[in-house]
Amino acid sequence: MPETKGSDLMAVSILVNGQNQTVEADPDTPLLWILRDHLKLTGTKYGCGIAQCGACTVHLDGAAVRSCQVTVADLRENEEITTIEAVEGPEANAVQQAWQELDVVQCGFCQSGQIMQAVDLLWNDPAPDDETIDAVMGGNACRCATYPRIRAAIHRASDILKA
């Protein structure tokens, strides 16, 4: 349970990318700003602030979440947060390899969120079909419209995992 500090600040201990961190912030501060401003982990992007674009996607205790909508008050002690800077494992490696092989990135702004969501998808379904990919990835917007390459890369990552 986070601890209240003073009148407006709350201290919470969290595990970010394998490192114990204690942060003090207003209870309404989004996790996105804790990551970017307090911890200087800028791979997680601010896109819309209302969980509609997916640019801020991180893994919270092993599930993809929009960090713009998780507040300091929502965090539990030692909750594990993984950002794009430290995502790892077979699914993450396969996604990163597929992204490079298929040259998915155009401008790159949304890609950290896309990758984090794709890794979560493959954790839950190692061989997704197009309909599943479109449904799960539908909350991640790409201004450059690289959706066909993203879908192809997820299929490729699935093939890499099978090999």
Side-chain angles (χ1 to χ4, degrees), residues 5 22 28 31 34-35 40 47 71 84 86 111 124 127 133 145:
K5 287 285 219 180
T22 299
D28 293 330
L31 174 59
I34 297 300
L35 297 171
K40 306 303 181 202
T71 66
I84 190 68
Q111 294 305 307
N124 294 297
I133 293 170

Side-chain angles (χ1 to χ4, degrees), residues 30-32 35 44 48-60 63-71 74 113-114 116-117 120 135-141:
L31 174 59
L32 173 63
L35 297 171
T44 303
C48 66
I50 57 171
Q52 296 298 305
C53 73
C56 67
T57 303
V58 299
H59 296 157
L60 183 62
V65 298
R66 305 301 190 248
S67 63
C68 70
Q69 296 299 297
V70 176
T71 66
D74 296 329
Q114 299 280 1
M116 297 301 280
Q117 189 67 55
D120 182 75
V136 171
M137 299 300 293
N140 289 73

